[in-house]
């Protein structure tokens, strides 16, 4: 008999189409309903046709639903013969090799799934030139749609088929398929959460999020409306599909047909299945506990253990197909697995890898970054594009200044050596600190990123050396933004604002602001003095093409602080008469209520931060005083600091004429003799 | 025709088939007996190439079976509950088998269709269990296999149809030397069908016998001796499997040549002497009792 007759055995394909053809029909009908039919609907000749750059924009929710479910359902039904005993016996007793069965099944699945996609593309193409069509699109859009939809369909179907070789139950196969499709994202986030809790200096999740969400086909698919797949992504999906097909052939050959109905078709995979479920459940439970319990390590570890217990029980129940899993053997097994997994989680988080202590030597560093905005440096073509530009998009954060590199290294060395507490558990005796990301671009092309919560006291010399460097300020305060084409500058306080739009004034202003920022001392930068106002710098509007090829015109703004230390700027603004228009003056304020705040000890933990409670307590003891004296209010305004419950010597409630209130604080040294006399001690 | 050598097959952690060797000659009918869970079905599925044995070899006509379509083309396996594709009819299943088994005979299919008188266009799922079984046999025989493996085939058939099917199998065996393996948990059902019988228990083959040999070889003797003491020398001379006494009548189950046994008893000139053949069931019960097994739960 001819080989091809074996491999594309038409009677098997015919049988599959008879049995599972409804999936193809449903897929075709569904796609036709969400895509070509939409082109007829709401058609109004007077209305302009909507220009499309991607067919995924038409009824995307429906498309996504169909594109995900139909291939998976087809995969489940076509592997059903492996999972149910009677069909498995029949198919495997026939004079056919497993390769023949698999080939015929793959072929029938693809026939069922790809024909509807191509049919839909064909109908859409036919409608494309029709004038009654509600949408306007090009032939390339159809090709693109058909290609992406075909590859996604192929991938999801092959993946489901592949999972079916591993798993012996159809329902479990569906569940596992769906879990595995989102697992890469979830697990990498859970692991990065784990490391950020237990590994000193590990950067917080947000900086890796962008990268990992690409790892899940589900996430990718949901993004499809906004951004089409890149060639690389398409190639990856195609490659993975072939990989899964190949693996399916290999594994099917060694799969025992009597495993139909068993959870895991390969008995030696059972330990991995159990360990995998335990790891995921443990991490998930730990993440939940860390969320509820403020990342306290004890609770997180407890969460891991509890999750591992649940995971083990669930996996055992699935494998044994019974509730009855308690035995001495299984409790020992659980202990062993928990210990091994614990080790697996402990080793990377322990100091053993040298991660916590490692500081690159000056020779291997080609660039360095220190600051708080590291995760904002996103590549230009990220999906956020079109939503406005920030000073960080498309920029690279590194500076090659050797002095700066040395300063950052020194800071890093001392932080890594001392490891000041970075968890919130010691919140009540913590000192003011600053969250810093230290990033190195190394000679070998790699990046090394650490994130620390550095206390301001104790690390002054090192912080000062870093924060007073021009390179630091250039990135941290987005100085490059000021060199761009500025359209207007808006100065504002709560209710007052003034806009500079003459180019001469803009040029002068930005010159002074740059100088002010560059000359800020370390103390100025960490000062908690209330800013005089905000500065919004808006760039000339740009025409841009969004990732979805829609042309939009947008303008982007960045906000700067008008700090009290900017004396030169204040002088300039006063000269120009702008200061008077914007600054908060004593006339804007109705009254100020002052009190000496020594109530922390008398308040419960939950109320420590609640300034109203502090004030109420003071009022009840008649230790709060209200003043409407303009001179006093002017003194307060000149010295006011942002409220910080760690250091709030005197609490002040400012009532504005405009109707709102605002708490600020004054430090002991801020008090003028007049104020001191006023406040009841 | 069929040769199993030291076949072992595990199911989860249990040995379902434990080191079984078996030979079935071409053109014979082999009956595989055993209670539920004895491992019959596993052995048959291993033989049909559905299961891969953990160790040992399975050969049909000198060729391996598992993943060997050339061999499997000569084999048809009928499971204990017939399975057909959902929504299919006999006609549709026949189309399918026709395209899969190159030996399919349209002529045979038509001949058998007359015997079975089943509605070929009706959905098989609406058939009764017995009718489904008939359909499976109709389809299986039309594939013209050299080896037919039937798991509990007699279940659910009425006596007329049972007779009919037995006759069909005899015809096929006599006519074109079909080799049949049949499993059953009931000896009486297949007693008149088989040439060979093997009894499985706990995954092992307890005994395996040629039925004609068995019947010729074991005898029931009822005897009343002139003197009670005559019994003792006889027990020493003959291979006695079993002995009972009811009043003055002794009952012996004796293995050996019929003439020799008769001569040995006649020496003592007993008052009563009857030499009778055993039913198959009795033979097995005594044989297995001899081997240390309580036959009752095994044979049912």
């Amino acid at each position: 008999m001819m080989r091809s007759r074996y491999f594309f055995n038409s009677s098997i394909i015919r049988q599959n189409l008879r049995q599972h053809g409804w999936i193809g029909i449903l897929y075709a009908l569904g796609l036709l309903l969400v895509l070509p039919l939409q082109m007829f609907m709401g058609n109004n000749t007077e209305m302009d046709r909507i220009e499309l750059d991607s067919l995924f924009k038409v009824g995307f929710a429906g498309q996504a639903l169909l594109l995900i479910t139909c291939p998976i359902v087809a995969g489940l039904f076509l592997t059903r013969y492996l999972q149910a005993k009677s069909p498995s016996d029949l198919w495997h007793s026939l004079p056919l090799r497993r390769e023949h069965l698999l080939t015929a099944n793959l072929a029938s699945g693809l026939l069922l799934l790809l024909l509807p996609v191509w049919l839909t593309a064909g109908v859409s193409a036919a409608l494309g030139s029709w004038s009654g069509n509600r949408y306007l699109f090009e032939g390339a859009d159809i090709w693109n749609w058909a290609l992406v939809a075909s590859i996604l369909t192929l991938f999801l179907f092959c993946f489901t088929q592949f999972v079916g070789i591993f798993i012996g139950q159809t329902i479990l196969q569906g569940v596992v398929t769906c879990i595995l499709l989102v697992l890469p994202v979830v697990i990498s986030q859970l692991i990065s959460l784990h490391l950020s809790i237990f590994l000193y200096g590990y950067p917080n999740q947000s900086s890796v999020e962008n990268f990992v969400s690409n790892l899940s086909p589900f996430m990718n698919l949901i993004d499809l409306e906004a951004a089409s797949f890149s060639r690389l992504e398409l190639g990856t999906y195609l490659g993975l599909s072939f990989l899964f097909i190949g693996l399916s052939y290999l594994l099917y050959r060694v799969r025992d047909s009597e495993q139909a109905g068993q959870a895991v078709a390969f008995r030696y995979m059972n330990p991995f299945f159990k360990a995998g479920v335990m790891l995921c459940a443990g991490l998930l439970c730990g993440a939940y506990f860390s969320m509820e319990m403020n990342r306290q390590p004890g609770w997180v570890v407890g969460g891991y253990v509890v999750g591992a217990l649940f995971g083990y029980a669930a996996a055992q129940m699935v494998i044994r197909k019974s509730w009855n899993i308690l035995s001495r053997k299984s409790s020992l097994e659980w202990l062993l697995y928990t210990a091994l997994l614990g080790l697996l989680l402990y080793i990377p988080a322990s100091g053993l890898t040298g991660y916590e202590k490692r500081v690159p030597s000056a020779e291997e560093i080609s660039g360095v970054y220190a600051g708080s905005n590291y995760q904002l440096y996103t590549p230009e073509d990220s999906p956020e594009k079109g939503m406005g530009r920030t000073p960080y998009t498309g920029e690279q954060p590194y500076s090659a200044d050797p002095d700066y590199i040395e300063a950052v290294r020194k800071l890093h060395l001392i932080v890594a050596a001392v490891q000041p507490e970075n968890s919130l558990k010691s919140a009540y005796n913590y000192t003011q600190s600053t969250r810093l990301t230290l990033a190195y671009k190394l000679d070998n092309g790699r990046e090394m990123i650490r994130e620390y919560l550095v206390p301001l006291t104790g690390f002054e010399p090192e912080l000062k050396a870093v924060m007073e460097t021009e390179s630091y300020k250039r990135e941290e305060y987005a100085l490059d933004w000021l060199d761009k084409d500025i359209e207007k500058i808006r100065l504002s306080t709560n209710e007052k604002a003034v806009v500079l739009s003459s180019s001469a004034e803009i040029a002068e202003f930005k010159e002074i602001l740059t100088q002010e920022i560059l000359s800020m001392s370390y103390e100025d930068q960490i000062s908690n003095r209330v800013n005089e106002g905000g500065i919004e710098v808006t760039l000339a509007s740009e025409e841009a093409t969004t990732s979805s090829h829609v042309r939009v015109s947008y303008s982007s703004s960045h906000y700067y602080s008008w700090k009290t230390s900017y004396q030169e700027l204040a002088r300039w603004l006063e000269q120009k008469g702008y200061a008077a228009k914007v600054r908060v003056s004593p006339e804007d304020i109705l009254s100020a209520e002052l009190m000496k705040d020594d109530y922390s000890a008398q308040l419960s933990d939950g109320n420590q931060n609640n300034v109203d409670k502090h004030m109420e307590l003071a009022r009840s003891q008649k230790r709060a005083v209200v003043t409407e004296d303009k001179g006093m209010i002017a003194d307060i305004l000149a010295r006011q600091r942002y409220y910080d419950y760690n250091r709030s010597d005197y609490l002040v409630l400012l009532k504005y004429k405009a109707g709102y209130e605002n708490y600020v604080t004054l430090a002991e040294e801020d008090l003028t003799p007049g104020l001191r006399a006023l406040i009841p001690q | 025709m069929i040769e199993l050598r030291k076949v072992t097959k595990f199911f989860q952690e249990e040995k379902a088939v434990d080191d079984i060797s078996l030979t079935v000659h071409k053109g014979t009918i082999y009956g595989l007996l055993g209670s539920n869970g004895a491992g019959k079905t596993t052995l048959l599925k291993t033989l049909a190439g559905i299961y891969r044995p953990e160790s040992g070899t399975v050969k049909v006509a000198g060729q391996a079976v598992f993943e060997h379509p050339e061999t499997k083309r000569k084999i048809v396996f009928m499971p204990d509950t017939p399975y057909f594709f959902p929504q299919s009819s006999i006609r549709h299943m026949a189309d399918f088998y026709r395209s899969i088994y190159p030996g399919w005979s349209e002529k045979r299919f038509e001949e058998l269709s007359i015997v079975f008188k089943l509605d070929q266009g009706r959905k098989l799922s609406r058939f009764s269990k017995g009718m489904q079984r008939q359909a499976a046999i109709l389809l299986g025989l039309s594939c013209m296999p050299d080896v037919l493996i039937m798991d509990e085939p007699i279940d659910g058939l009425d006596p007329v149809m049972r007779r009919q099917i037995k006759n069909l199998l005899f015809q096929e065996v006599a006519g074109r030397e079909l080799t049949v393996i049949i499993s059953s948990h009931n000896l009486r059902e297949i007693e008149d069908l088989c040439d060979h019988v093997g009894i499985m228990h706990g995954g092992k083959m307890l005994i395996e016998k040629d039925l004609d040999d068995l019947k010729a070889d074991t005898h029931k003797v009822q005897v009343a001796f002139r003197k009670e003491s005559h019994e003792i020398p006889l027990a020493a001379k003959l291979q006695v499997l079993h002995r009972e006494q009811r009043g003055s009548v002794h009952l012996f189950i004796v293995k050996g040549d019929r003439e020799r046994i008769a001569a040995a008893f006649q020496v003592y000139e007993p008052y009563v002497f009857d030499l009778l053949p055993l039913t198959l069931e009795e033979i097995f019960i005594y044989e297995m009792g001899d081997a240390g097994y309580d036959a009752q739960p095994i044979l049912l």
Side-chain angles (χ1 to χ4, degrees):
Chain A
M1 195 178 300
M2 283 189 342
R3 289 187 74 76
S4 63
R5 177 162 170 205
Y6 269 147
F7 276 101
F8 292 97
N9 194 305
S10 62
S11 53
I12 302 180
I13 296 175
R14 225 179 306 127
Q15 172 56 31
N16 278 330
L17 294 184
R18 259 183 71 112
Q19 221 169 316
H20 309 300
W22 59 272
I23 301 169
I25 294 171
L26 224 62
Y27 199 30
L29 282 178
L31 285 178
L32 288 172
L33 278 178
V34 294
L35 201 55
L37 192 71
Q38 292 276 329
M39 295 175 182
F40 289 100
M41 301 212 322
N43 177 45
N44 182 339
T45 40
E46 321 228 318
M47 236 163 53
D48 272 347
R49 287 169 72 180
I50 303 165
E51 196 172 329
L52 285 181
D53 58 308
S54 156
L55 288 184
F56 283 105
K57 294 208 186 299
V58 182
F60 177 70
Q63 284 195 42
L65 190 73
L66 287 165
L67 282 172
I68 291 175
T69 48
C70 286
I72 292 180
V73 167
L76 292 179
F77 274 93
L78 280 161
T79 40
R80 180 80 194 129
Y81 82 97
L82 284 170
Q83 326 293 37
K85 239 180 168 49
S86 303
S88 170
D89 286 347
L90 170 65
W91 284 104
H92 292 112
S93 75
L94 297 176
L96 295 165
R97 291 177 68 91
R98 293 176 173 208
E99 292 92 293
H100 310 149
L101 291 176
L102 190 58
T103 310
N105 277 320
L106 284 172
S108 15
L110 293 180
L111 214 61
L112 279 178
L113 294 168
L114 291 181
L115 284 184
V117 171
W118 297 338
L119 175 72
T120 308
V123 173
S124 304
L127 287 174
S129 49
W130 170 59
S131 63
N133 194 327
R134 191 176 154 207
Y135 298 100
L136 206 60
F137 49 85
E138 294 165 16
D141 297 331
I142 294 170
W143 282 111
N144 185 51
W145 183 88
L147 186 69
V148 172
S150 302
I151 288 181
L152 263 179
T153 301
L154 173 78
F155 170 77
L156 287 173
F157 173 70
C158 293
F159 184 66
T160 313
Q161 184 102 16
F162 168 73
V163 172
I165 304 280
F166 262 102
I167 302 289
Q169 291 166 3
T170 299
I171 293 175
L172 191 65
Q173 182 191 349
V175 172
V176 169
T177 304
C178 293
I179 288 178
L180 287 180
L181 286 174
V182 289
L183 194 67
V185 173
V186 175
I187 205 93
S188 52
Q189 293 208 0
L190 288 175
I191 285 177
S192 98
L193 175 70
H194 163 76
L195 292 175
S196 75
I197 293 174
F198 292 100
L199 189 57
Y200 189 72
Y202 189 83
N204 242 348
Q205 285 172 286
S206 46
S207 34
V208 283
E209 237 158 50
N210 267 333
F211 162 68
V212 296
S213 69
N214 283 338
L215 291 178
S216 162
F218 273 173
M219 304 286 174
N220 261 343
L221 218 149
I222 285 160
D223 283 344
L224 201 52
E225 188 181 12
S228 190
F229 281 175
S230 67
R231 251 176 222 189
L232 178 70
E233 282 172 308
L234 283 179
T236 310
Y237 279 124
L238 199 63
L240 283 175
S241 307
F242 287 121
L243 177 73
F244 288 132
I245 293 178
L247 286 174
S248 299
Y249 276 106
L250 285 179
L251 288 167
Y252 188 21
R253 213 177 277 174
V254 291
R255 189 190 203 265
D256 284 331
S257 59
E258 66 267 26
Q259 295 297 335
Q262 297 298 325
V264 183
F266 299 98
R267 291 195 51 225
Y268 48 83
M269 292 302 292
N270 277 346
F272 295 98
F273 178 74
K274 281 185 225 170
V277 175
M278 282 173 78
L279 184 68
C280 294
L283 285 174
L284 217 68
C285 196
Y288 176 71
F289 277 32
S290 93
M291 213 163 62
E292 296 291 309
M293 291 294 161
N294 251 333
R295 297 163 72 109
Q296 295 177 46
W299 278 98
V300 177
V301 171
Y304 290 163
V305 174
V306 171
L309 186 63
F310 280 126
Y312 180 79
Q316 273 296 60
M317 285 176 196
V318 168
I319 287 173
R320 296 219 195 147
K321 297 195 269 185
S322 153
W323 292 93
N324 185 13
I325 51 160
L326 284 177
S327 72
R328 179 201 271 286
K329 188 178 162 249
S330 55
S331 54
L332 287 176
E333 200 183 45
W334 175 75
L335 270 177
L336 176 74
Y337 278 57
T338 307
L340 285 177
L341 290 172
L343 217 58
L344 191 72
L345 287 176
Y346 171 74
I347 289 174
S350 70
L352 296 176
T353 54
Y355 183 95
E356 294 177 343
K357 298 277 179 215
R358 176 154 192 253
V359 177
S361 66
E363 298 86 67
E364 40 175 345
I365 302 172
S366 62
V368 76
Y369 169 85
S372 54
N373 298 322
Y374 186 74
Q375 66 266 39
L376 296 177
Y377 289 87
T378 49
E380 189 82 65
D381 60 351
S382 72
E384 284 88 353
K385 197 181 162 191
M387 293 154 72
R389 134 197 310 280
T390 75
Y392 314 102
T393 36
E395 301 290 329
Q396 71 94 24
Y398 296 104
S399 157
D401 173 10
D403 293 339
Y404 186 42
I405 293 179
E406 206 37 45
V408 173
R409 270 198 70 235
K410 281 217 173 98
L411 172 67
H412 191 178
L413 276 170
I414 188 146
V415 171
V418 176
Q419 302 204 353
E421 202 92 51
N422 73 343
S423 79
L424 284 175
K425 77 165 187 248
S426 51
Y428 297 115
N429 55 19
Y430 104 150
T431 52
Q432 246 190 317
S433 48
T434 177
R435 188 169 282 284
L436 272 184
T437 304
L438 307 182
Y440 303 93
K441 181 99 184 158
L442 301 179
D443 281 338
N444 60 11
R446 293 219 184 141
E447 289 185 340
M448 180 176 155
I449 304 161
R450 297 289 185 273
E451 195 177 305
Y452 299 106
L453 199 61
V454 187
L456 294 182
T457 42
F459 295 86
E460 291 93 343
E462 290 78 15
L463 282 172
K464 195 174 161 74
V466 170
M467 288 170 71
E468 288 186 356
T469 322
E470 185 187 336
S471 302
Y472 172 82
K473 289 177 178 168
R474 225 160 235 298
E475 296 304 325
E476 189 64 14
Y477 298 103
L479 288 185
D480 291 343
W481 188 259
L482 292 174
D483 294 336
K484 292 188 161 53
D485 182 12
I486 298 172
E487 186 181 89
K488 61 178 184 198
I489 292 175
R490 183 174 181 273
L491 284 143
S492 62
T493 51
N494 276 340
E495 48 199 309
K496 299 194 263 186
V498 64
V499 176
L500 313 183
S501 49
S502 106
S503 57
E505 276 184 345
I506 288 176
E508 270 182 61
F509 183 93
K510 79 176 183 192
E511 191 60 38
I512 299 170
L513 181 60
T514 309
Q515 274 316 310
E516 290 284 17
I517 291 174
L518 286 177
S519 59
M520 264 198 291
S521 68
Y522 166 69
E523 289 76 17
D524 291 337
Q525 294 182 58
I526 61 163
S527 150
N528 59 351
R529 281 281 161 84
V530 172
N531 290 332
E532 300 234 39
I535 304 165
E536 180 186 359
V537 177
T538 306
L539 298 190
S541 62
E542 285 180 77
E543 272 266 302
T545 313
T546 63
S547 51
S548 43
H549 309 295
V550 174
R551 294 196 69 77
V552 291
S553 144
Y554 64 92
S555 54
S556 321
S557 300
H558 186 68
Y559 295 85
Y560 295 83
S561 302
W562 173 10
K563 296 199 176 224
T564 48
S565 67
Y566 297 170
Q567 285 166 12
E568 189 61 37
L569 189 77
R571 214 166 295 135
W572 185 84
L573 288 170
E574 279 159 14
Q575 265 175 25
K576 295 275 173 189
Y578 291 131
K581 288 187 192 163
V582 187
R583 261 192 187 143
V584 177
S585 72
E587 276 66 42
D588 296 327
I589 290 169
L590 207 57
S591 68
E593 190 170 14
L594 297 95
M595 58 169 279
K596 185 174 166 68
D597 189 8
D598 44 15
Y599 291 103
S600 282
Q602 298 175 39
L603 287 162
S604 67
D605 278 1
N607 280 330
Q608 290 283 332
N609 238 338
N610 188 340
V611 277
D612 284 328
K613 285 272 188 267
H614 289 241
M615 191 53 94
E616 270 169 34
L617 214 55
R619 280 179 194 147
S620 68
Q621 298 179 3
K622 305 259 185 285
R623 291 184 65 206
V625 62
V626 178
T627 179
E628 292 184 11
D629 182 279
K630 298 301 170 204
M632 298 268 196
I633 292 176
D635 284 343
I636 295 170
L637 286 180
R639 291 165 175 79
Q640 58 177 343
R641 295 171 190 269
Y642 289 106
Y643 173 74
D644 174 0
Y645 72 95
N646 288 293
R647 186 150 187 258
S648 154
D649 297 342
Y650 296 91
L651 190 61
V652 182
L653 175 63
L654 294 174
K655 286 192 176 153
Y656 285 77
K657 284 187 177 144
Y660 53 89
E661 302 178 347
N662 188 19
Y663 279 100
V664 294
T665 63
L666 294 172
E668 192 67 50
E669 66 264 27
D670 296 335
L671 291 194
T672 59
L675 286 171
R676 192 179 299 277
L678 185 68
I679 303 169
Q681 290 296 312
Chain B
M1 190 67 188
I2 301 173
E3 256 189 292
L4 275 81
R5 286 289 161 266
K6 295 183 171 298
V7 170
T8 301
K9 176 75 204 164
F10 282 89
F11 244 83
Q12 302 302 317
E13 269 123 63
E14 280 168 43
K15 261 186 190 176
V17 170
D18 187 1
D19 195 27
I20 285 185
S21 297
L22 180 81
T23 308
V24 182
H25 297 290
K26 195 173 168 72
T28 55
I29 302 181
Y30 189 100
L32 195 59
L33 285 162
S35 54
N36 296 328
K40 298 175 307 243
T41 302
T42 307
L43 184 67
L44 291 187
K45 286 187 183 172
T46 311
L47 184 53
I50 298 171
Y51 295 166
R52 179 206 328 257
E54 255 79 53
S55 63
T57 54
V58 180
K59 283 187 174 171
V60 168
Q63 288 172 304
V65 181
F66 185 78
E67 288 294 90
H68 281 74
E70 314 77 43
T71 321
K72 283 168 104 175
R73 253 179 262 154
K74 301 174 204 150
I75 304 173
V76 165
F77 172 75
M78 285 183 204
D80 48 356
T81 28
Y83 172 80
F84 308 102
F85 297 133
Q87 310 296 317
S88 59
S89 62
I90 292 185
R91 200 170 293 136
H92 168 236
M93 288 306 291
D95 287 343
F96 180 75
Y97 279 115
R98 188 182 296 121
S99 67
I100 297 284
Y101 283 92
W104 175 272
S105 159
E106 207 55 44
K107 183 166 154 277
R108 190 76 183 128
F109 179 65
E110 271 152 29
E111 288 166 8
L112 290 170
S113 298
I114 298 164
V115 178
F116 286 108
K117 298 189 192 72
L118 294 166
D119 180 352
Q120 302 209 346
R122 195 168 152 201
K123 278 185 186 156
L124 279 155
S125 54
R126 299 218 195 125
F127 279 12
S128 73
K129 195 181 167 200
M131 285 158 86
Q132 287 188 2
R133 170 105 38 218
Q134 293 175 38
I137 291 168
L138 159 65
L139 291 165
L141 287 178
S142 302
C143 293
M144 303 293 277
D146 292 347
V147 174
L148 184 62
I149 300 170
M150 305 169 95
D151 196 4
E152 308 269 0
I154 314 291
D155 262 16
L157 291 179
D158 61 59
V160 180
M161 199 39 74
R162 220 179 273 195
R163 191 72 259 150
Q164 188 95 279
I165 286 167
K166 282 181 182 175
N167 285 338
L168 265 174
L169 288 181
F170 284 136
Q171 270 178 37
E172 296 272 334
V173 170
R176 51 181 204 88
E177 294 209 290
L178 171 71
T179 310
V180 184
I181 289 205
I182 283 184
S183 82
S184 175
H185 54 259
N186 193 333
L187 180 60
R188 259 155 290 170
E189 271 192 339
I190 56 168
E191 186 175 0
D192 51 347
L193 193 63
C194 303
D195 309 310
H196 271 77
V197 169
I199 300 181
M200 279 186 80
H201 184 65
K204 287 192 184 292
M205 188 67 84
L206 291 187
I207 41 173
E208 204 194 332
K209 287 280 172 189
D210 187 311
L211 277 195
D212 292 334
D213 287 356
L214 264 186
K215 284 188 176 168
D217 209 35
T218 315
H219 310 274
K220 182 153 77 177
V221 179
Q222 283 178 314
V223 64
F225 290 112
R226 287 179 186 279
K227 259 187 178 169
E228 286 298 309
S229 59
H230 289 168
E231 183 200 343
I232 298 149
L234 265 173
K237 276 183 206 153
L238 297 168
Q239 194 187 346
V240 180
L241 293 179
H242 182 81
R243 183 164 56 192
E244 256 177 65
Q245 189 170 2
R246 291 173 192 153
S248 58
V249 178
H250 291 257
L251 177 81
F252 292 88
I253 307 292
V254 189
K255 233 179 156 169
D257 180 49
R258 186 189 161 93
E259 309 295 311
R260 226 192 111 232
I261 296 168
F265 276 95
Q266 292 301 348
V267 172
Y268 300 99
E269 296 176 338
Y271 294 127
V272 183
F273 176 76
D274 276 328
L275 203 152
L276 308 163
L278 260 73
T279 64
L280 205 49
E281 194 171 347
E282 282 171 314
I283 296 174
F284 280 115
I285 286 170
Y286 294 127
E287 283 264 357
M288 288 169 66
D290 209 29
Y293 286 97
D294 180 7
Q296 230 56 49
I298 299 176
L299 279 178
L300 293 175

